[in-house]
């Protein structure tokens, strides 16, 4: 008896309810010829009945899935012999329960099967079967009950159309709250883990320390694993790479936007704009190996020619390639705001005898500036959060340096390295990733809020 | 309107053989299109948008110190014609102008002529007030700064003041020159645009329905201003309001479907139109 079978049955009940509701509405009006005495069209009475049959039953089913396992597990745990659980850590208990569940569902079991475990597994399987049957009965009962309720309420004066309307509104609200609650959930989980981190490492050390070396010694005599969590080198590294990226992206993106919006003939524009936007469609991992395998060696060789010592993983290489990746963000956002400047502004300027470039410099750019700044801030937050390129091209060593030819590391790179592979999730090392993530999130959030408020302010100007 | 070309020709009188021979089906304009002391002279001006002809062989003079109004139903080409006079049509893709348009005897569509300084000589005021999103002062100072008309801050201040004065706006804005021009009322904005145009000392001012976005009081103020400006400038104004044309202009030109049908003294056009189309339009039979 699978869950999806139940859903199919429920859908069938709903279809039946729709049909019956509709028929009853027509009957209560006194036949098809009398439909105009109904408050709403018959199909609304049908929909109303179908919703009553389906929605409460589906809600009950959801709740059941949410809590069945918990209840059954707690019942099984209560029946386990006390000596099996005494003195065990919560992790061990979890493992035992996992074994029981695996045994009950016929999966591979990690430990040897003792009679106690076998008994518990049998009990688990029995309870789960009962619960499953109970769910079928309960859900179908609710569905039929809902249908009956709608059936009884169907009469010509019932405002079925308005009720369906408010139910749909409720469904929309539910779905949008799912999106909002998910965001909230992610933020809260990061916040709580960061809180755990800051209990181990003081925020002062994290935000002001200049030494980043998150390896923690497993043995007392281990060398080179002091566990230092000063994140300043990561922040400066992120800042430097983003700065280089913006130095590439802003001029190129802005100039190409101005060319496309003001000078380019229509046929050039129709080709050039999509081509530039292709840059946004290239996967960042491709940019990553372009940076690591093409740009970085090129810069190193050029540096060697000029007698400079360039690291093979330099901030410059990562920043340059990231800048190229961000060009389409800057150019297409700027293009939009430049196009949003009304033609009448241009006409006004031309009519005073201004040239095209004077018009652009003195009228169009100042008018579009808030929007352009907003676009650039959005691009900055994109640059700060960008991971793949810097993982591949910027390096891992947390150098506190102002030299773009050196290797630096960024917040995102460190989060990746801290969480890659098998990790324990109660050490300061892995929890540091959450603190870094929280910092990153807050910075990009603030940038986005500023950017959006600037963009909004700009919009008001012409309305 | 179901008038064929033949009927039109009957109404407008016989065409000369030279015109019949020409490829264009341009029509003779009723009335005298010349001015006694012309500043701009247009002869046989055709305008094409791509393959569509918007203006057919229009000839018209704009005299010194006079206001010429152009009236006609929507889409008759009066705005297109106006935009030819300072080459604003250059900014429209696929727009082609042939014929002769001269400003003080200088062919403005001559290949060697740069349209940019021309537009300082022939200023334009648009249908919808379009002050730049800058301060009132900067709006007026914009043109003089671009053309380097003043040598010092004091001279610029003076020019801004005199321009605003001429546009009848000085008294209202002198205490808030640093505030945005977009914050003014519609009528004030339009006078600011006129002040902006005057600041580069043009010879001709083109006005494209300058009052259509304004209320009657603001319209009356602008109309009074146009009459005062006539003392120093030549003005061509496109308007949908026949009363306005009658109030502000000395000569009136009636356009219809890209043709200049009739032109003459404003009084005469409104009291004794010669052409049936003109009469139909001004008596409100269509348009």
């Amino acid at each position: 008896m699978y869950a999806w079978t139940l859903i199919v049955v429920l859908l069938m009940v709903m279809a039946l309810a729709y049909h019956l509701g509709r028929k009853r509405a027509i009957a209560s009006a006194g036949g098809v010829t009398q439909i105009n005495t109904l408050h709403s069209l018959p199909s609304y009475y049908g929909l109303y009945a179908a919703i009553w049959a389906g929605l409460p039953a589906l809600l009950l089913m959801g709740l059941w899935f949410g809590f069945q396992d918990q209840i059954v597990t707690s019942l099984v745990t209560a029946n386990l012999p006390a000596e099996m659980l005494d003195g065990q850590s919560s992790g061990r208990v979890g493992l035992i329960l996992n074994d029981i569940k695996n045994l009950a569902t016929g999966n591979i079991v990690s430990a040897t099967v003792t009679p106690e475990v076998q008994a518990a597994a049998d009990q688990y399987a029995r309870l789960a079967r009962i619960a499953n049957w109970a769910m079928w009965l309960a859900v179908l009962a609710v569905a039929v009950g809902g249908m009956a309720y709608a059936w009884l309420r169907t009469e010509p004066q019932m405002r079925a159309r308005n009720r369906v309307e408010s139910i749909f509104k409720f469904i929309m609200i539910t779905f949008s709250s799912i999106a909002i609650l998910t965001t909230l959930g992610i933020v809260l989980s990061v916040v709580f883990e960061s809180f755990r981190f800051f209990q181990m490492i003081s925020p002062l050390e994290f935000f002001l320390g200049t030494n980043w070396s998150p390896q923690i010694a497993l043995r007392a005599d281990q060398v080179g694993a002091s566990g230092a969590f000063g994140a300043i080198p990561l922040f400066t590294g992120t800042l430097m790479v983003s700065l280089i990226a913006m130095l590439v992206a802003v001029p190129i993106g802005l100039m190409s936007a101005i060319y496309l919006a003001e000078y380019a003939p229509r046929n050039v524009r129709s080709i050039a704009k999509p081509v530039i936007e292709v840059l946004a469609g290239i996967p960042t991992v491709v940019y990553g190996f372009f940076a690591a395998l093409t740009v970085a060696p090129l810069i190193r060789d050029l540096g060697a020619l000029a007698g400079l010592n360039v690291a093979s993983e330099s901030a410059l290489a990562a920043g340059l390639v990231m800048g190229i990746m961000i060009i389409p963000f800057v150019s297409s956002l700027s293009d939009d705001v430049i196009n949003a400047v009304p033609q009448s502004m241009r006409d006004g300027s031309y009519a005073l005898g201004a040239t095209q470039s004077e018009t652009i410099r003195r009228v169009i750019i100042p008018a579009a500036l808030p929007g352009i700044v907003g676009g650039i801030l959005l691009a900055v937050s994109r640059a700060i959060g960008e991971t793949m390129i810097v993982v591949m091209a910027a390096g891992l060593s947390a150098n506190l340096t102002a030299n773009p030819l050196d290797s630096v590391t960024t917040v995102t790179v460190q989060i990746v390295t801290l969480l890659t592979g098998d990790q324990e999730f109660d050490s300061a090392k892995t929890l540091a990733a959450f603190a870094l993530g929280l910092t990153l999130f807050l910075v990009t959030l603030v940038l986005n809020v500023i950017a959006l408020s600037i963009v909004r302010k700009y919009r008001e100007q012409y309305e | 309107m179901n008038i064929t070309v033949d009927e039109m020709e009957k109404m407008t009188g016989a065409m000369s053989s030279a015109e019949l021979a020409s490829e264009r089906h341009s029509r003779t304009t009723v009335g005298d299109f010349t001015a006694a002391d012309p500043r701009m002279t247009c002869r046989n001006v055709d305008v094409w948008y791509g393959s569509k002809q918007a203006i057919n062989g229009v000839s018209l003079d704009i005299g010194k110190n006079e206001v010429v109004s152009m009236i006609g139903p929507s889409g008759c080409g009066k705005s297109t014609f106006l935009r030819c006079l300072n080459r604003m049509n250059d900014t429209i893709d696929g727009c082609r102008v042939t014929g002769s348009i001269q400003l003080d005897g200088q062919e403005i569509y001559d290949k060697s002529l740069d349209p940019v300084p021309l537009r300082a000589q022939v200023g334009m005021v648009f249908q919808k007030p379009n002050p730049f999103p800058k301060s009132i002062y900067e709006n007026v100072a914009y043109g003089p700064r671009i053309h380097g008309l003043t040598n010092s801050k004091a001279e610029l201040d003076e020019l801004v003041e005199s321009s605003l004065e001429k546009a009848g706006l000085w008294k209202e804005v002198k205490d808030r020159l640093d505030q945005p021009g977009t914050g003014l009322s519609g009528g004030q904005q339009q006078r600011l645009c006129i002040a902006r145009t005057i600041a580069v000392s043009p010879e001709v001012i083109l006005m494209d329905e300058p009052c259509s976005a304004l209320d009657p009081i603001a319209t009356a103020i602008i109309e009074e201003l146009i009459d005062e400006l006539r003392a120093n400038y030549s003005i061509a104004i496109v308007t949908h309001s026949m009363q306005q044309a009658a109030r502000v202009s000395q000569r009136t030109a009636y356009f219809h479907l890209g043709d200049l049908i009739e032109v003459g003294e404003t009084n005469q056009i409104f009291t004794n139109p010669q052409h049936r189309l003109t009469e139909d339009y001004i008596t409100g039979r269509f348009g």
Side-chain angles (χ1 to χ4, degrees), chain A residues 95-111:
Chain A
L95 275 182
I96 295 171
L97 287 174
N98 245 349
D99 271 350
I100 293 170
K101 278 179 209 168
N102 282 341
L103 195 60
T105 50
N107 283 336
I108 296 166
V109 179
S110 65

Side-chain angles (χ1 to χ4, degrees), chain A residues 265-266 343-356 358-363 366-367 461-462, chain B residues 83 86 88 91 93 116-117 119-120 122-124 126 130-134 142-143 145-147 196-197 200:
Chain A
R266 192 169 304 165
Q343 180 62 31
S344 66
M345 294 290 131
R346 297 178 179 86
D347 285 349
S349 176
Y350 294 147
L352 288 170
T355 64
Q356 202 164 5
E358 283 163 348
T359 303
I360 291 168
R361 272 204 324 270
R362 290 164 178 259
V363 176
Q461 208 165 31
Y462 297 115
Chain B
R83 291 171 65 94
N86 65 345
M88 279 300 279
T91 60
D93 278 349
V116 169
R119 294 195 192 118
V122 184
M124 188 162 194
F126 296 86
N130 58 347
F132 302 127
K134 300 170 181 287
Y142 182 84
R145 276 192 214 274
I146 282 183
H147 300 291
R196 186 173 76 178
T197 306
V200 294

Side-chain angles (χ1 to χ4, degrees), chain A residues 19-33:
Chain A
H19 183 69
L20 290 179
R22 193 170 171 278
K23 259 181 89 172
R24 177 163 167 87
I26 294 170
S28 73
V32 181
T33 50

Side-chain angles (χ1 to χ4, degrees), chain A residues 179-411:
Chain A
I180 293 166
L181 289 177
T182 315
T183 317
L184 205 65
I186 294 174
V187 172
L188 283 182
S189 81
V190 173
V191 167
F192 283 128
E193 298 294 323
S194 310
F195 191 66
R196 279 173 68 195
F197 172 74
F198 286 126
Q199 281 174 332
M200 294 183 222
I201 308 290
S202 102
L204 274 182
E205 188 199 332
F206 181 72
F207 287 111
L208 298 176
T210 55
N211 185 15
W212 177 264
S213 169
Q215 276 67 35
I216 285 180
L218 297 175
R219 307 183 308 274
D221 57 343
Q222 200 172 338
V223 181
S226 48
F229 291 94
I232 290 277
L234 311 191
F235 297 147
T236 55
T238 307
L239 208 65
M240 190 199 287
V241 174
S242 307
L243 196 71
I244 294 170
M246 297 321 288
L247 285 179
V248 174
V250 170
I252 298 181
L254 197 55
M255 300 292 168
S256 58
I258 292 172
Y259 171 73
L260 286 180
E262 295 294 323
Y263 290 99
R266 192 169 304 165
N267 50 351
V268 173
R269 183 183 160 86
S270 67
I271 296 169
K273 200 170 153 70
V275 169
I276 290 176
E277 276 161 9
V278 162
L279 284 176
I282 297 175
T284 53
V285 67
V286 175
Y287 279 112
F289 62 70
F290 174 62
L293 301 180
T294 312
V295 177
L298 188 72
I299 290 174
R300 194 189 52 209
D301 295 347
L302 286 177
L305 279 180
L308 291 169
N309 188 16
V310 184
S312 36
E313 292 182 319
S314 61
L316 189 60
L320 284 180
V321 174
M322 195 193 280
I324 292 167
M325 184 197 81
I326 290 171
I327 288 171
F329 284 82
V330 178
S331 78
S332 89
L333 285 167
S334 309
D335 188 48
D336 286 348
V337 291
I338 290 172
N339 273 324
V341 175
Q343 180 62 31
S344 66
M345 294 290 131
R346 297 178 179 86
D347 285 349
S349 176
Y350 294 147
L352 288 170
T355 64
Q356 202 164 5
S357 75
E358 283 163 348
T359 303
I360 291 168
R361 272 204 324 270
R362 290 164 178 259
V363 176
I364 294 174
I365 297 292
L369 195 61
I372 292 172
V373 171
I376 290 174
L377 285 182
L378 285 177
V380 171
S381 64
R382 177 75 213 251
I384 290 175
E386 169 51 39
T387 310
M388 215 58 217
I389 295 174
V390 276
V391 164
M392 295 169 88
L396 292 175
S397 48
N399 293 327
L400 184 57
T401 173
N403 179 2
L405 303 177
D406 253 353
S407 157
V408 296
T409 191
T410 70
V411 173

Side-chain angles (χ1 to χ4, degrees), chain B:
Chain B
M1 286 299 291
N2 279 322
I3 301 177
T4 64
V5 175
D6 286 344
E7 281 174 295
M8 294 273 249
E9 279 164 4
K10 271 178 217 149
M11 286 185 286
T12 53
M15 299 177 90
S16 73
S17 56
E19 275 168 335
L20 279 173
S22 80
E23 280 182 354
R24 293 194 302 270
H25 68 286
S26 55
R27 265 194 308 261
T28 321
T29 300
V30 178
D32 181 13
F33 55 74
T34 61
D37 187 8
R39 176 138 262 161
M40 296 196 87
T41 52
C42 312
R43 293 292 177 270
N44 296 320
V45 174
D46 287 342
V47 180
W48 302 75
Y49 289 126
S51 60
K52 188 177 165 290
Q53 189 163 11
I55 301 275
N56 301 324
V58 168
S59 299
L60 182 64
D61 284 359
I62 296 162
K64 283 176 185 151
N65 304 335
E66 74 163 351
V67 179
V68 177
S69 62
M70 302 173 190
I71 58 172
S74 295
C76 68
K78 53 195 191 301
S79 287
T80 300
F81 179 69
L82 193 73
R83 291 171 65 94
C84 290
L85 301 179
N86 65 345
R87 293 188 59 174
M88 279 300 279
N89 280 335
D90 290 13
T91 60
I92 296 170
D93 278 349
C95 180
R96 198 155 49 81
V97 180
T98 60
S100 157
I101 303 178
Q102 293 183 345
L103 172 66
D104 297 329
Q106 165 71 39
E107 193 65 48
I108 68 168
Y109 277 90
D110 196 77
K111 276 202 179 66
S112 62
L113 186 118
D114 181 5
V116 169
L118 167 76
R119 294 195 192 118
Q121 287 174 284
V122 184
M124 188 162 194
V125 176
F126 296 86
Q127 186 170 359
K128 211 174 141 233
N130 58 347
F132 302 127
K134 300 170 181 287
S135 69
I136 294 170
Y137 182 94
E138 286 300 325
N139 261 286
V140 182
Y142 182 84
R145 276 192 214 274
I146 282 183
H147 300 291
L149 298 184
T150 54
N151 296 319
S152 67
K153 176 83 171 97
E155 271 183 55
L156 186 59
D157 287 352
E158 215 170 284
L159 180 56
V160 168
E161 180 178 343
S162 69
S163 304
L164 284 168
E165 192 87 63
K166 282 183 210 156
L169 194 60
W170 176 250
K171 284 203 189 75
E172 292 159 60
V173 301
K174 65 176 180 215
D175 298 324
R176 44 170 179 158
L177 290 174
D178 55 343
Q179 284 176 24
T182 43
L184 296 171
S185 75
Q188 289 173 324
Q189 285 188 15
Q190 196 61 297
R191 277 180 283 152
L192 178 62
C193 292
I194 293 173
R196 186 173 76 178
T197 306
I198 294 171
V200 294
S201 40
E203 296 167 32
V204 182
I205 300 176
L206 311 175
M207 297 185 172
D208 191 357
E209 300 181 40
C211 301
S212 65
L214 305 181
D215 65 63
I217 293 167
T219 302
I221 295 171
I222 301 260
E223 284 178 4
E224 218 167 288
L225 175 61
I226 291 172
D227 203 46
E228 285 166 20
L229 291 175
R230 183 162 65 92
N232 299 308
Y233 309 96
S234 303
I235 296 173
I237 176 171
V238 163
T239 176
H240 266 297
S241 155
M242 283 175 276
Q243 290 85 344
Q244 184 169 66
R247 282 191 298 261
V248 302
S249 68
Q250 283 70 56
R251 287 199 303 143
T252 297
Y254 173 67
F255 283 76
H256 185 90
L257 297 174
D259 295 308
L260 178 53
I261 301 293
E262 183 167 357
V263 57
E265 299 292 321
T266 300
N267 273 340
Q268 177 256 313
I269 292 279
F270 282 100
T271 54
N272 186 21
Q274 303 297 304
H275 197 288
R276 212 195 78 196
L277 284 170
T278 319
E279 188 181 351
D280 283 353
Y281 184 71
I282 62 167
T283 52
R285 234 164 279 167
F286 71 87

Side-chain angles (χ1 to χ4, degrees), chain A residues 54 67 70-71 107 109 111 121 129 145 149 153 201 234 264 304 311 329 335 351 372 397 427-429 445 454:
Chain A
F67 293 106
Q70 249 176 325
I71 294 168
N107 283 336
V109 179
R129 215 162 32 240
Y149 175 77
R153 303 231 14 212
I201 308 290
L234 311 191
F329 284 82
D335 188 48
I372 292 172
S397 48
S427 78
K429 182 189 162 192
L445 181 73
I454 289 175

